[in-house]
C-alpha cells in the first residue's frame, strides 16, 4: 500500500486496488463504485476502496473542437463554389449537414 501523490501516473499500467477520496466539491464524480448487485453502479463522493484499470480516472479539460477550422473551411469552400456556379465542388464541399 502506498500513496500515489508523488507518483508519475503515466508510469502505472494495469489494475490498481485503491483507497479513493473523492471530495464533495466535485460536481460530476467520474470513478464508479459498486457496493453490491442490488445498488447498481454508483459515482459517489466520499471515501471507499475499489479496483480500477489504470486508464480510469484521468481528467480531461474541455477544449474547442479540433475540427472547427476544418468544418469552417469546408463550409466557406461550399459557399464560394455556389457563388461561382460550380455545382460539383458545391456538392463535394456540402457533405456536412447543418
Amino acid at each position: 500500500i502506498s500513496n500515489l501523490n508523488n507518483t508519475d501516473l503515466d508510469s502505472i499500467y494495469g489494475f490498481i486496488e485503491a483507497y479513493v477520496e473523492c471530495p464533495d466539491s466535485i460536481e460530476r464524480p467520474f470513478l464508479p463504485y459498486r457496493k453490491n448487485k442490488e445498488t447498481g453502479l454508483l459515482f459517489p463522493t466520499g471515501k471507499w476502496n475499489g479496483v480500477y484499470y489504470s486508464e480510469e480516472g484521468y481528467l480531461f479539460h474541455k477544449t474547442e473542437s479540433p475540427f472547427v477550422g476544418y468544418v469552417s473551411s469546408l463550409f466557406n469552400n461550399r459557399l464560394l463554389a455556389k457563388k461561382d456556379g460550380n455545382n460539383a465542388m458545391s456538392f463535394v464541399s456540402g457533405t456536412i449537414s447543418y
Side-chain angles (χ1 to χ4, degrees):
I1 298 177
S2 66
N3 186 333
L4 298 177
N5 280 341
N6 297 319
T7 303
D8 175 16
L9 296 180
D10 289 330
S11 68
I12 297 174
Y13 184 77
F15 289 93
I16 302 166
E17 183 177 6
Y19 170 74
V20 178
E21 293 183 10
C22 181
D24 293 331
S25 61
I26 294 182
E27 292 181 25
R28 294 185 193 106
F30 53 88
L31 283 177
Y33 172 75
R34 185 184 307 270
K35 183 175 182 178
N36 54 47
K37 289 183 181 181
E38 288 77 34
T39 60
L41 195 60
L42 306 171
F43 292 84
T45 58
K47 301 174 183 178
W48 71 91
N49 289 322
V51 176
Y52 299 95
Y53 183 61
S54 62
E55 302 301 315
E56 284 186 277
Y58 279 98
L59 287 176
F60 296 94
H61 300 285
K62 187 174 182 177
T63 61
E64 187 176 318
S65 170
F67 301 106
V68 169
Y70 175 71
V71 172
S72 295
S73 173
L74 281 178
F75 185 72
N76 289 332
N77 288 343
R78 181 179 184 200
L79 290 178
L80 289 173
K82 279 186 172 187
K83 182 179 174 184
D84 293 340
N86 188 341
N87 292 333
M89 187 56 76
S90 174
F91 179 78
V92 170
S93 299
T95 57
I96 298 173
S97 60
Y98 292 91

